[in-house]
């Protein structure tokens, strides 16, 4: 089996950090994002992000380097190389431009999983996260204006998120995509269905 890096992609509040957090609890390796964004009340978890100043950011050697909503984000070259050498499966959280950069370099070692979420679910999730109406409007307009809802067209896999508060089915689908679920042998399957 080739060591792989899976990128979770989706609009703000699609459930990327929830799903990655659950996968990390299982022991799946995560490649952190470095960002110049200031930690806020939402998405400030240091398991997912390394918050650095601009001066420090530009001293690093990034394999992926993007601007997103006015801040810089990057994935360190050494983190990607280490992931491919030391882990059968690794995760990273990216947006479309980051996916393009990494897919050109990694080819068969890289797959994307787009989290498809409808507007209503996104709004409900952002309300639960504590966003104000103006923030919700901004995130939805940003996603629409930057074609974030169309990124599924370029993804290797698409997972429909029906309930981001209980991501059970999506979580199981992601495990299956990564090859972490096995089919039961025929005799065991018969026992389960009879």
């Amino acid at each position: 089996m080739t060591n792989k890096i899976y990128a979770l992609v989706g609009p703000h509040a699609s459930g990327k950090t929830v799903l990655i957090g659950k996968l990390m609890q299982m022991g799946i390796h995560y490649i952190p994002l470095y960002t110049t964004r200031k930690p806020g009340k939402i998405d400030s978890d240091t398991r997912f992000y390394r918050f650095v100043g601009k001066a420090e950011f530009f001293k690093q050697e990034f394999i992926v380097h993007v601007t997103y909503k006015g801040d810089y984000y990057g994935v360190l070259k050494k983190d990607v190389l280490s992931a491919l050498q030391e882990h059968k499966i690794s995760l990273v959280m990216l947006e479309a431009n980051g996916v393009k950069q990494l897919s050109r370099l990694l080819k068969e070692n890289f797959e994307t999983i787009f989290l498809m979420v409808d507007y209503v679910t996104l709004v409900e999730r952002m309300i639960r996260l504590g966003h104000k109406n103006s923030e919700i409007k901004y995130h939805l307009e940003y996603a629409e204006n930057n074609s974030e809802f169309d990124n599924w067209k370029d993804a290797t896999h698409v997972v429909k998120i029906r309930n981001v508060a209980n991501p059970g089915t999506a979580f199981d689908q992601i495990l299956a995509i990564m090859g972490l679920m096995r089919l039961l042998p025929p005799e065991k399957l018969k026992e389960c269905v009879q």
Side-chain angles (χ1 to χ4, degrees):
M1 179 177 151
T2 305
N3 291 0
K4 287 214 178 196
I5 295 175
Y6 292 89
L8 259 61
V9 182
H12 178 75
S14 61
K16 296 181 295 288
T17 56
V18 169
L19 290 163
I20 288 173
K22 286 178 63 98
L23 292 162
M24 288 170 64
Q25 286 175 344
M26 291 181 60
I28 296 174
H29 177 255
Y30 175 73
I31 303 168
L33 287 174
Y34 284 74
T35 180
T36 60
R37 180 175 59 80
K38 300 278 186 240
K41 63 180 178 181
I42 298 165
D43 288 344
S44 62
D45 196 325
T46 56
R47 292 178 302 160
F48 308 114
Y49 300 100
R50 302 294 185 266
F51 298 96
V52 296
K54 282 186 183 177
E56 178 65 26
F57 185 88
F58 288 107
K59 289 180 186 174
Q60 306 298 322
E61 187 177 2
F62 292 107
I63 197 165
V64 172
H65 176 265
V66 297
T67 315
Y68 185 72
K69 296 182 182 176
D71 293 302
Y72 295 100
Y73 291 80
V75 177
L76 288 177
K77 180 179 178 179
K78 69 179 176 85
D79 288 348
V80 170
L81 293 175
S82 171
L84 289 171
Q85 291 169 356
E86 299 172 19
H87 303 278
K88 290 196 181 297
I89 296 173
S90 295
L91 294 163
V92 67
M93 191 176 354
L94 293 175
E95 54 76 60
N97 288 327
V99 165
K100 288 176 189 169
Q101 292 174 34
L102 212 50
S103 64
R104 277 192 297 248
L105 297 168
L106 299 183
K107 307 210 183 309
E108 74 276 351
N109 298 89
F110 182 70
E111 293 186 20
T112 55
I113 302 170
F114 180 78
L115 304 179
M116 185 174 282
V117 185
D118 61 75
Y119 271 68
V120 173
T121 304
L122 282 176
V123 170
E124 287 172 356
R125 171 96 170 131
M126 285 189 254
I127 289 169
R128 271 198 307 280
L129 288 170
H131 285 308
K132 298 176 185 154
N133 286 343
S134 59
E135 294 169 322
I136 293 170
K137 181 180 179 212
Y138 170 80
H139 287 296
L140 291 174
E141 285 177 354
Y142 185 92
E144 192 67 48
N145 293 337
N146 290 282
S147 302
E148 286 187 349
F149 296 113
D150 293 332
N151 288 337
W152 66 271
K153 295 174 184 175
D154 298 318
T156 316
H157 309 278
V158 176
V159 172
K160 173 107 170 89
I161 306 288
R162 297 189 196 299
N163 181 355
V164 289
N166 182 11
T169 304
F171 182 72
D172 291 345
Q173 289 175 355
I174 291 169
L175 288 175
I177 288 166
M178 295 176 170
L180 298 174
M181 294 182 99
R182 289 193 199 137
L183 291 174
L184 291 172
E187 61 277 0
K188 293 281 185 189
L189 182 60
K190 275 185 182 175
E191 290 174 24
C192 292
V193 296
Q194 291 179 348

